[in-house]
Amino acid sequence: IDYQRWLQCYRGFVGNPTAAAPTPGNLGDLNADGAVDGDDIDPFVAVLLNPQAATLRSRLVADVSADGTLDATAAAAMAARLLESTAN
């Protein structure tokens, strides 16, 4: 599934051309265990390196910066989430 095409369809469905994509769970929780921790690092990197091979859910959850792109901003946001989770 092409993420940008999906997002365009979603925006058409909700009738808002700038609507943010819905968040399918906890951003950064790639393994869906309810926590953002070290177990999410490898799957996060896998999505970042090869988003075409990842599921739509994985791509959306890996977009930790919630800006619609999988890039250095998402990686920085993921690092911040990981540091937050270890500080608590």
Side-chain angles (χ1 to χ4, degrees):
I1 295 176
D2 179 290
Y3 174 77
Q4 293 301 322
R5 179 175 247 180
W6 175 87
L7 184 58
Q8 181 181 16
C9 290
Y10 171 76
R11 287 175 172 167
F13 177 76
V14 298
N16 180 347
T18 60
T23 305
N26 193 10
L27 290 177
D29 183 15
L30 275 287
N31 64 355
D33 67 354
V36 178
D37 55 24
D39 293 337
D40 297 300
I41 295 172
D42 285 344
F44 175 78
V45 171
V47 172
L48 219 59
L49 294 177
N50 191 3
Q52 296 81 12
T55 66
L56 179 59
R57 181 206 175 273
S58 293
R59 290 193 306 264
L60 291 172
V61 173
D63 181 16
V64 184
S65 58
D67 63 1
T69 59
L70 296 171
D71 57 11
T73 306
M78 180 63 164
R81 289 294 310 268
L82 289 165
L83 291 172
E84 278 176 18
S85 69
T86 59
N88 296 328

